[in-house]
Amino acid sequence: MPAADQTLRILSHLATRPAPVAASAIARELGLPRSTVYHLLNTLAARGFVIHLRDDQRWALGTAAFELAGGYARQQPLARLGRPIVAALSDRLGASAHLAVMSGSDVLYIVEERAARRPALVTDVGVRLPAHLTATGRAMLAALPREQIRALYPGPSAFPDRTGRGPRRPSELRELLRQVRERGYATEDGEVADGLRSVGAVVADRTGWPVAAVAVTWAGDSRDAPQDGRDAALATEVREAAALLEARTTR
């Protein structure tokens, strides 16, 4: 039985218990070897997903598990409220539109609307992509404090790439985000997939913290023809959609 399956079974079991549980009881009730249960529990504890109550010799869910649940609780209202807004944006512009949230230094797509007769994108629901390469990610990163950016991108090794384009070091990212703040929207040109271009706008909570971003993607490459005019026109629509979602989530 794969270790991932065993790990998830242990977490699910702890989540259903009204009180902390002994490792021996977990092994017995799940039909797993004790040595396996102890090994997996210690690994989970090191990551904060469970805690060991030494005095009672029992185990319980840790803070990291609750953070996962909190992330789900935050994403669901955003997806529910954002879906009709993103769908309307896609219909209006004839371009694919999506809604994403931050997950570490990645973006996680929670709503995807593909325009009619347009190719499928990599930005499907549940997909993660490096935030510094995407329009949604750049829109949210630009709204984060500089200290948070430094923590997420401490050096060149924190900058994976997909097509050979995009920032490669912290100084390049800082300049890119400065431009995003100056324009009021983010762009991406072939950094996620060749021949595709996106614009995105941030959705903030009442404190100004970025909770999501809306973007549209279309076929276009600035190496072939200037795109600034279309960027600005689409950005107006995207910003309006982001502002509408922001109003609905903060009222």
Side-chain angles (χ1 to χ4, degrees):
M1 185 181 297
D5 180 74
Q6 295 170 337
T7 302
L8 292 172
R9 289 178 67 202
I10 290 172
L11 287 173
S12 298
H13 183 73
L14 290 174
T16 63
R17 301 298 94 182
V21 185
S24 58
I26 296 173
R28 182 178 64 255
E29 293 172 21
L30 296 182
L32 298 174
R34 283 196 183 192
S35 59
T36 298
V37 170
Y38 279 109
H39 171 72
L40 292 176
L41 284 171
N42 284 318
T43 300
L44 288 167
R47 297 287 185 174
F49 286 94
V50 301
I51 55 173
H52 186 205
L53 307 175
R54 298 185 183 278
D55 292 343
D56 298 327
Q57 289 299 299
R58 279 169 166 71
W59 298 80
L61 290 178
T63 55
F66 288 104
E67 288 172 359
L68 282 179
Y72 176 80
R74 289 190 298 273
Q75 290 170 22
Q76 283 305 100
L78 276 169
R80 187 179 66 252
L81 293 170
R83 190 168 288 109
I85 295 173
V86 170
L89 180 67
S90 177
D91 289 343
R92 195 161 58 248
L93 300 180
S96 296
H98 28 266
L99 176 67
V101 296
M102 287 291 294
S103 179
S105 59
D106 292 339
V107 292
L108 172 66
Y109 291 89
I110 62 174
V111 175
E112 173 71 17
E113 288 290 336
R114 183 162 61 94
R117 296 179 294 281
R118 294 293 188 274
L121 305 176
V122 296
T123 53
D124 207 352
V125 173
V127 168
R128 294 171 183 268
L129 290 173
H132 67 284
L133 296 180
T134 69
T136 50
R138 292 170 178 179
M140 289 184 279
L141 289 172
L144 287 174
R146 296 180 187 275
E147 296 78 11
Q148 185 66 35
I149 299 299
R150 284 198 293 268
L152 291 172
Y153 298 95
S157 63
F159 292 85
D161 80 275
R162 290 174 56 88
T163 64
R165 302 194 216 178
R168 300 290 184 90
R169 52 182 59 87
S171 59
E172 293 175 2
L173 180 62
R174 285 195 298 271
E175 173 58 21
L176 186 153
L177 297 181
R178 183 195 66 76
Q179 295 173 14
V180 173
R181 287 189 287 269
E182 187 175 276
R183 282 193 308 262
Y185 63 90
T187 66
E188 172 271 312
D189 178 17
E191 283 115 323
V192 174
D194 287 324
L196 294 177
R197 190 170 173 86
S198 303
V199 295
V202 69
V203 178
D205 65 14
R206 289 187 181 87
T207 69
W209 189 265
V211 295
V214 177
V216 294
T217 298
W218 71 98
D221 192 326
S222 63
R223 293 179 298 184
D224 300 329
Q227 296 281 332
D228 291 346
R230 180 149 198 209
D231 281 0
L234 293 177
T236 298
E237 296 275 358
V238 172
R239 292 177 70 182
E240 289 176 357
L244 178 58
L245 179 56
E246 189 172 297
R248 291 184 179 179
T249 57
T250 57
R251 65 185 179 191

